[in-house]
Structures are given as C-alpha cells and as structure tokens.
Amino acid sequence: MDDPTIRGLVGGVLWPGFLGRGIPDLFRRELDEGGLAGLVLFAHNLGDEGERMSLAAELRDRDRPLVVGIDEEGGNVTRTESATGSTLPGAAQLGFVDDLAITEAVGAELARRSLAVGANVVLAPVADVNTDPRNPVIGVRSFGDSAELVGRHARAQARGIRLAGAAPAAKHFPGHGDTHLDSHHAMPTLEIGLDELERTHLPPFQALVDAGVPAIMTAHVVVPAWGEQPSTLNPVALGRLRAMGFEGVIITDALDMAAVRESVGAGPGAVQALLAGADLLCISNPANLGAAAAPDQDARDFREVQRAILAAVDDGTLPVSVLERAAARVRVLAATLADARTEADAASRTVPSGAVPVVAFDPVDAAAVARAAISIDGEVAALPAPRTVLDIRGRSTLAVASDRDFLESALAAGGAVLRGDAAVPGSGALVVLADRVGADGPQRERIANVARLRPDAVVVDAGVPGAPLPLPTVRTRAASRLAADAAAAVLAEGSAGSEATA
C-alpha cells in the first residue's frame, strides 16, 4: 500500500461500484492518488437531472481519462431509466424484429444515454445464445437461440455503441445462455460438450472479436472440460478468448456475485482472475445486499479486493508483470475513449445544437418496434380496463435492478393485482402475467389450472416463448415499460384490432 507504483498498478485494474449520488471521499482519493481505473454506475447512483449532471461532470473533469461503466441494455435491464422503466427495445425484441439497422440505432441510443450520465463503457451487447428456456438470468436479454442471429445483432449493437462515442463490453464469455442457474445466487455449470460450446455459444463472441470489440465481460460459469474453476477465474477459458484473437480488455463480471463470493471469496477470486488473464475487476454492486448492506459496504468490498491483491504481490503469488499487463490494457481503453470524447466535442461544435455528435442515427420508433416484437397465440378478445392481473412470475434477477413493476400496472390499468397463489377471481377481465413458460414448470401448471376455471382469461408472457398455452397468449419478449405499454394496447384492442400477427 505504501509503494505508489504498485498501488497505482493495483488501482489500474479495479472497477468498483459505490453508494450514493456523488463520488465518496474514498473513491475520490483513489482516483486522485491511487490510480483507480474508474467506477461502475448503478441505478442508485443516478438521482434527478441536476445530480446526474453533477456526477457526470465530476467523472469527466479529471486530470486523466477514466473508464466508467454502466449496465444499459434496453428492455429489462436499465440503470438510467430504472425509476420509470426502459423506453428502448431489449435484445429479444430486436432479435425477433430482425432489423440490423434498428439494432444498431438502439446501440447508439444506449451509448448516448450512458454518456449523458458520465459512463463511457456500455456493458452490452449481450452475446449469450439463450438455448435453455429455463434460464433465469439471460432469457430475453439475449437476441435469441441461434448463434447466427445473436452474432449479427450483437455486432450491430456494438457498432452503434462505438459510433456514438462509447465502448461496448460484450458479455458473458464463453456464454451464459445454456444454464438454468443465476450466477448472482449460485455457480452455474454448462452441461454441454465442447463441440456444442464451440458450435453454438462461441461464434457470437468470435464475430465481435473480428469486428474489433474493445472489451468483453466474463461469465461465472463452469465449463467442465476446462476444469472446475468458473470461466472468470480460469486460465483455460480466458486463454481460449485470447486464442480467438481478442486483444482488448477482459472484464470480470462482479466479484460479489455468489458464484465467486461463496466459492473462493471476492479477494482470492480477484487474484485468481488476474492470474487467469483478466484485466479489469468489476468488484461489486454494493446495494445488492439490500437491508443487509453496511453503510460503508462499497468501501468494504473495495478494500477486500485491494488488500487481497496487494498481499498476493507481497507474497509472490501475483507477479507484478501480470498487473502491468492488465493495467496497460485498461489505460489503452481509457485513452481511446478520451480520444473519442475529444472527437465528439469537436463534432458537436460544428453541428446544430441538439444534434447527435460523432455519427447521427435516425430516431428509433421504439413503440413501433415493441409492437412488432409482439406475437399472439390464439384469439385475444378486447379486454376493457380495469383488468385484474394475476402475476405468477418469480423474482427478477439482480441484473434488472428495479423495484417497480411496469407490466403489472400497465396491464391492470387501474384494476387489482394479485400475486403468487392468490385465488383466481370468478369474473371480470383477467390477465395472467408469466415469464417462464418456455419449458414445463410451475408457471405452465398454474396457467393450466387457471384455464380450467377461467377459459376467458388471457396470458401475457414476458419471457422466452415456448409451446402454446391453453389460453390465448400475448408474447412481449420483455418486461420493460415499453413492452408493457405495447401489451396494454393489444389487450385494449384485441387481436382482431391489433397489427401484431400470430
């Protein structure tokens, strides 16, 4: 800790989250004196417009360029619109519509919104191929279940992000799409052979590498053929990524996730990740612990990782050359982003006020995309408001990071919302809200029971579609505010009056 060179190298590979609407004193000092690479923004950091502008200015106006990340995917996952719900299409909606120009334009808008709050690295696109319909953490965050489709759209979205002046960080290598566990809560294993991994899950990442993507985030998933360690901590996995020709920054998924925290611990995991070949360590979302979080949880998480790395240098476990290599890659990314900002600033002085700098894209008609992304199974009669909504969904993954439910309120339109095992009402317009009906399971069973009691009910499926259900079904492919408004319009009109097609 007392050696400024070593402390700077360690800081140069650390990427913490923080609590509050402004940069805490600890992280301000680490940025100023400790060489901290940057910060990751979460929904709880983004307040009103004035607070956002102040934070963005503080992140930008520093003596050296920073790398500032944000999870901004559109659809279910947003940080900039977590209080109101995303107004941009998500990956599954974009994959279903299958218009690369729209996907690229959405990427540019994701970058614009991220840059507006001070983030220059967009943790997108999701390059996972969602081949397991039970997947609780990817699902509609994926463009689809085809490697070719996902590869095309991931490249298009990454291109849009870059052309708008930010860096895309594709995720989650080597693919989190064939799991039925959420790495926020457990350690998933890819129960497929290497042939299937190479044929289905790696091609989208190869397409992104070939297109020059500057950063790729790892997955905390075990590939048995590569050993017992999750890919984030596994030199075979990260070596495979380098063998694909990737020369950019390898970013770990958050080290506070249960897959790492409850197996090896965040501190030892950080050391293992660096030894495996990672460059930038995403430490934590300190708000994930909820009421169990300490007031200084961000500092505790950061110090745990920082001290573990310093101790590993002291005892020789972690060679300084490993830190030098990783920190150098991160500095190159930061410098590239600083150059992009300079170009954007120059462009903004030569275009009319309010125009998009760097590259202009036609505005995305997000409502039209959300409507086109809806498919309908069966005949949906018009359901006048108010409606009763029976929400049979489970908890959302921590990646969603919003306590509000936009689908419930939009579909109910002033009516009652019932949850879980609530009794099925005997009369009135009834909507059953589901999100995991792509495979047999409790939600499909509950819908079958509802169908016997209320054959006039309608299902709204916000997840990955599966086999037809025993009730008419509106498939939205997202649970965002945008998808909620589109689904509500379909319910009000019925399938006969809707432009959506079965």
Side-chain angles (χ1 to χ4, degrees):
M1 183 68 83
D2 295 330
D3 184 326
T5 300
I6 298 299
R7 183 180 172 194
L9 287 173
V10 173
V13 302
L14 299 183
W15 218 26
F18 63 92
L19 297 172
R21 301 286 171 79
I23 302 175
D25 289 343
L26 165 65
F27 295 111
R28 191 176 292 109
R29 288 195 303 272
E30 292 292 337
L31 289 169
D32 292 340
E33 304 167 12
L36 186 62
L39 297 164
V40 183
L41 303 183
F42 294 95
H44 61 264
N45 302 128
L46 305 178
D48 60 29
E49 190 64 26
E51 290 171 320
R52 292 180 178 213
M53 291 178 65
S54 176
L55 176 60
E58 190 172 9
L59 290 167
R60 290 172 182 144
D61 298 337
R62 309 200 71 83
D63 293 337
R64 61 182 176 85
L66 303 181
V67 175
V68 181
I70 192 167
D71 276 300
E72 197 65 30
E73 300 174 11
N76 291 14
V77 178
T78 177
R79 303 293 181 255
T80 63
E81 294 187 294
S82 65
T84 58
S86 177
T87 55
L88 285 177
Q93 293 168 296
L94 294 168
F96 183 77
V97 173
D98 199 12
D99 185 320
L100 294 180
I102 292 174
T103 299
E104 184 175 333
V106 168
E109 182 60 17
L110 292 172
R112 187 194 68 77
R113 296 182 184 192
S114 300
L115 290 164
V117 298
N120 52 14
V121 177
V122 182
L123 296 174
V126 173
D128 304 304
V129 182
N130 196 81
T131 53
D132 189 334
R134 301 169 297 169
N135 198 317
V137 65
I138 303 302
V140 294
R141 296 170 64 198
S142 167
F143 291 105
D145 59 5
S146 155
E148 187 273 335
L149 175 75
V150 172
R152 285 191 291 111
H153 282 273
R155 282 185 64 155
Q157 190 169 88
R159 173 177 165 81
I161 292 169
R162 294 188 77 174
L163 290 176
K171 55 193 184 186
H172 309 77
F173 183 87
H176 209 313
D178 201 343
T179 66
H180 60 275
L181 294 176
D182 183 345
S183 49
H184 291 89
H185 305 293
M187 179 78 81
T189 296
L190 288 181
E191 298 173 351
I192 56 175
L194 275 182
D195 287 348
E196 176 66 14
L197 181 71
E198 295 277 352
R199 182 171 58 252
T200 301
H201 298 279
L202 295 190
F205 292 99
Q206 186 67 67
L208 287 158
V209 169
D210 293 344
V213 70
I216 291 178
M217 176 174 272
T218 63
H220 303 327
V221 298
V222 174
V223 178
W226 290 345
E228 297 180 355
Q229 293 173 300
S231 295
T232 298
L233 316 181
N234 191 322
V236 178
L238 302 193
R240 180 68 182 87
L241 178 54
R242 292 297 183 200
M244 293 165 69
F246 182 62
E247 298 179 355
V249 174
I250 296 178
I251 304 173
T252 70
D253 209 343
L255 297 175
D256 69 328
M257 294 165 63
V260 172
R261 185 187 67 245
E262 296 181 6
S263 59
V264 299
V271 174
Q272 291 181 32
L274 288 167
L275 289 170
D279 303 306
L280 186 58
L281 307 176
C282 181
I283 295 176
S284 73
N285 177 354
N288 272 351
L289 293 177
D296 62 343
Q297 191 67 50
D298 49 358
R300 296 185 186 198
D301 293 345
F302 175 76
R303 289 299 192 205
E304 178 184 2
V305 170
Q306 183 190 49
R307 288 168 179 160
I309 295 173
L310 288 166
V313 173
D314 280 343
D315 67 18
T317 302
L318 181 64
V320 173
S321 59
V322 171
L323 285 174
E324 290 173 333
R325 174 216 71 213
R329 286 198 180 103
V330 177
R331 286 196 301 272
V332 168
L333 176 61
T336 301
L337 288 167
D339 291 343
R341 180 188 164 196
T342 299
E343 293 175 8
D345 289 344
S348 68
R349 291 192 290 269
T350 62
V351 297
S353 176
V356 178
V358 188
V359 174
F361 288 85
D362 292 333
V364 177
D365 187 344
V369 175
R371 195 63 171 268
I374 287 178
S375 58
I376 299 174
D377 295 345
E379 294 295 325
V380 175
L383 294 181
R387 311 175 190 97
T388 297
V389 172
L390 176 59
D391 190 347
I392 64 172
R393 297 173 298 166
R395 67 177 178 180
S396 298
T397 172
L398 287 172
V400 172
S402 176
D403 293 330
R404 297 190 57 187
D405 196 295
F406 310 101
L407 266 178
E408 283 184 349
S409 57
L411 300 180
V417 175
L418 309 175
R419 297 185 178 91
D421 295 327
V424 177
S427 61
L430 177 62
V431 177
V432 183
L433 180 53
D435 64 356
R436 293 188 192 169
V437 296
D440 290 340
Q443 291 189 19
R444 292 187 72 92
E445 293 171 5
R446 186 74 196 283
I447 290 168
N449 290 333
V450 173
R452 285 189 283 270
L453 297 171
R454 290 291 306 274
D456 60 329
V458 173
V459 174
V460 172
D461 172 21
V464 175
L469 295 162
L471 289 171
T473 305
V474 178
R475 314 271 192 180
T476 65
R477 297 174 171 82
S480 62
R481 185 175 108 204
L482 179 70
D485 290 342
V490 170
L491 292 179
E493 299 168 359
S495 53
S498 173
E499 294 180 2
T501 55

